[in-house]
Amino acid sequence: MNIQFEHVSYDYSLKTPFQFRALHDITTTFYEQKFYAIVGQTGSGKSTLIQHLNALLKPTEGHMSIGDIKVNKKTKSKKLAPIRKKVGIVFQFAEHQLFEDTVEKDISFGPINYGMGKEEAKKKAKDMIELLGLDESILKRSPFELSGGQQRRIAIAGVLAMEPDVLVLDEPTVGLDPNGQKVMMDLFDKIHKTMGITVILISHQMDIVLKYADEVKVIQSGKIVAEDTPVNIFTNAPLIKSTHLEVPQIIRLQRAVEHKKGIKFNQIATSEEMFKEMYESQVKTHV
């Protein structure tokens, strides 16, 4: 399922003295089964943009095509239910989305609400728990007895149980240590590849964006100012300067080694593992 924006603008507090345009004439497409990252400074419009992806917000101007459903400011809310099922959003601190008294009930809530039978929903909850690497026994426990990391996985399981075509992640690794971040991102990468789900990630961690994303959309002052591969984005010095983005640490390390050793690698490393392999190969070549 593709999501297409056509000249979308959005105003908060419309027709009040506090009216503010958060998105300006956005035209862009999210193609199915790709892994996207949306990056930009705080206040650039990232969160407003992703709330349009499942029509939590509707455009003030322009329109979107979400699958075969067209959304504009006049679209009736009753027509949007299929979108909410197909585009799942995991907000920051997803564990705050939990509310049922058992993990099983929490994961099953969405599917049952959309018409799935209780037994089928229970099986779906079990499948999601297994996918996320948690023990089946956790289903009967209260989500509020679990660790923060486990709670976050339960919240994600609840979204995945809806069988979305698109998974939107708003800073999903915030508050996690480096190992927890890697585990979480590897999980999303696995979901993306094994289930064929489109992933749209908001992150301020550029090394994560570089390693996992197929395409990056850069937003500044409510406008999409660049769309390209992570490597092309992060090696575009004028773009980095004008948008105040950070260059990923692994690229900075590579440039520092190239300068110090007087060498030039023939590609940009997208992870520490890749850089180590490149460096060892370069050393062997010059021995």
Side-chain angles (χ1 to χ4, degrees), residues 104-120:
E104 183 177 69
K105 288 181 180 179
D106 217 302
I107 298 173
S108 301
F109 177 84
I112 290 173
N113 196 44
Y114 277 89
M116 187 180 288
K118 287 187 177 180
E119 292 306 311
E120 186 181 356

Side-chain angles (χ1 to χ4, degrees), residues 10 12 22-23 45-53 57:
Y10 183 77
Y12 286 105
L23 296 181
K46 300 187 300 296
S47 294
T48 303
L49 180 66
I50 67 167
Q51 289 181 74
H52 280 74
L53 293 171
L57 297 178

